[in-house]
Amino acid sequence: MAPVKPVIHRSTIENSPLLSCYNRETKKSSLCRLAILETEALEEVMALHQSVISELENPDLYIPYTREEMAGYLNQEHGFLLGMYDETGLGAFRVIAWPGEGKDNLGHCLGIAQSQLGQVIQLEGTNVHPRYRGNGLQCLLTEKAMGCLQPFEREGILLTAVSPLNGRSLVNMVALGMHIAGLKNQNNKPVRLVLRKSLFQESQQWQKGPWVEAGDIESHQKMLTMGLKGHEAKMDAEKGLQVRYGRPLLSHEGAIMR
């Protein structure tokens, strides 16, 4: 299959209606606009990024970007940034990457064939200013960003890596239709859960299986070795963050195609 050659359709973003987001500072809703960020936005991107990193209670939840990495996304060499602005400045951004066949491609963790690595589109970090947290911007910005790439949706493989301790991100990504398909083992860094979704896949039905604790890496490995995928996530008042594993059910159409 030919590699995905992403084209960012700016009109999809430029013609988007303004967003109404609750502003924690003003205690009122603010009208915000979306924008594909350019190189000149580097300073405000790094300022928001450093602010978010400095406030993390658990630094293991998030791997910071270097200035060079951010510049590479802003000039759209390795991806792009979708930003959200209010009247005072940058309120949030989402990083979308196309890693090619390089070592950063999460497809290596899943055993994706070399010929398909070029189809991978990766969801990287989301940074949200404290005044806009609680508006569901991680999901919203992801959906808007994918809308920019719609012409390639039948070719793309969407991947992301999430810390098993980052409950909010894990629940959000599963809600977007992604499922845990593998693990990313990192030297001197905590293991990440690798989630996958084929962009042409509208929805997936699952044969429900056992629940495991999100932080129990051995249980994740056991489920994945059995051929199960993590397709549901929830916060339990007593047990904490839980992930349900199961097998995908083929639709009648999919069964015929196989």
Side-chain angles (χ1 to χ4, degrees):
M1 184 179 293
V4 169
K5 296 181 180 179
V7 175
I8 303 169
H9 291 261
R10 294 176 176 274
S11 60
T12 303
I13 296 301
E14 293 170 353
N15 296 331
S16 295
L18 295 176
L19 303 175
S20 178
C21 295
Y22 180 75
N23 188 320
R24 292 172 176 263
E25 292 179 352
T26 64
K27 309 299 183 184
K28 298 186 297 184
S29 292
S30 297
L31 290 178
C32 304
R33 65 178 178 86
L34 299 178
I36 304 296
L37 301 184
E38 305 284 357
T39 302
E40 56 266 24
L42 179 59
E43 296 304 328
E44 57 186 338
V45 165
M46 291 307 299
L48 177 55
H49 183 57
Q50 293 301 328
S51 176
V52 169
I53 294 299
S54 68
E55 294 179 355
L56 290 176
E57 294 182 5
N58 183 354
D60 289 338
L61 295 183
Y62 194 88
I63 300 175
Y65 292 96
T66 65
R67 188 180 183 87
E68 291 72 23
E69 286 173 326
M70 283 298 194
Y73 292 126
L74 288 169
N75 67 23
Q76 295 165 25
E77 179 181 358
H78 307 298
F80 73 101
L81 268 66
L82 177 60
M84 187 195 79
Y85 284 93
D86 65 5
E87 65 277 5
T88 63
L90 186 64
F93 65 82
R94 178 53 143 155
V95 183
I96 308 296
W98 26 86
E101 298 179 359
K103 62 181 179 61
D104 293 331
N105 193 316
L106 292 171
H108 293 297
C109 303
L110 304 183
I112 291 178
Q114 187 76 19
S115 61
Q116 290 187 304
L117 290 176
Q119 311 302 310
V120 171
I121 298 171
Q122 283 182 195
L123 300 179
E124 299 288 343
T126 303
N127 285 191
V128 180
H129 193 283
R131 66 178 177 268
Y132 286 117
R133 289 173 189 164
N135 282 283
L137 291 176
Q138 186 179 44
C139 286
L140 188 148
L141 291 178
T142 300
E143 291 173 337
K144 293 292 185 181
M146 291 302 98
C148 297
L149 306 174
Q150 273 188 338
F152 301 94
E153 65 179 1
R154 294 197 62 82
E155 298 177 336
I157 301 171
L158 188 63
L159 300 180
T160 194
V162 178
S163 166
L165 303 180
N166 192 340
R168 181 176 300 174
S169 289
L170 183 56
V171 170
N172 285 345
M173 294 303 96
V174 172
L176 287 172
M178 304 192 75
H179 62 266
I180 299 170
L183 301 176
K184 180 182 181 182
N185 296 306
Q186 307 179 109
N187 293 330
N188 302 319
K189 294 179 182 178
V191 171
R192 288 320 199 237
L193 306 175
V194 179
L195 290 86
R196 173 177 180 161
K197 179 184 179 183
S198 297
L199 293 188
F200 65 83
Q201 182 180 356
E202 291 296 329
S203 62
Q204 178 69 63
Q205 298 298 314
W206 296 89
Q207 181 183 37
K208 296 179 179 180
W211 290 92
V212 303
E213 293 184 10
D216 186 346
I217 299 302
E218 289 186 5
S219 290
H220 285 295
Q221 186 66 67
K222 179 181 178 181
M223 295 295 107
L224 292 166
T225 300
M226 293 169 59
L228 306 181
K229 310 298 181 185
H231 62 90
E232 189 175 348
K234 69 175 182 178
M235 287 298 301
D236 185 279
E238 297 181 356
K239 298 180 180 179
L241 182 61
Q242 303 285 301
V243 174
R244 170 171 260 171
Y245 275 81
R247 299 183 189 279
L249 294 174
L250 289 176
S251 64
H252 179 64
E253 178 182 355
I256 293 175
M257 291 178 65
R258 282 178 70 93

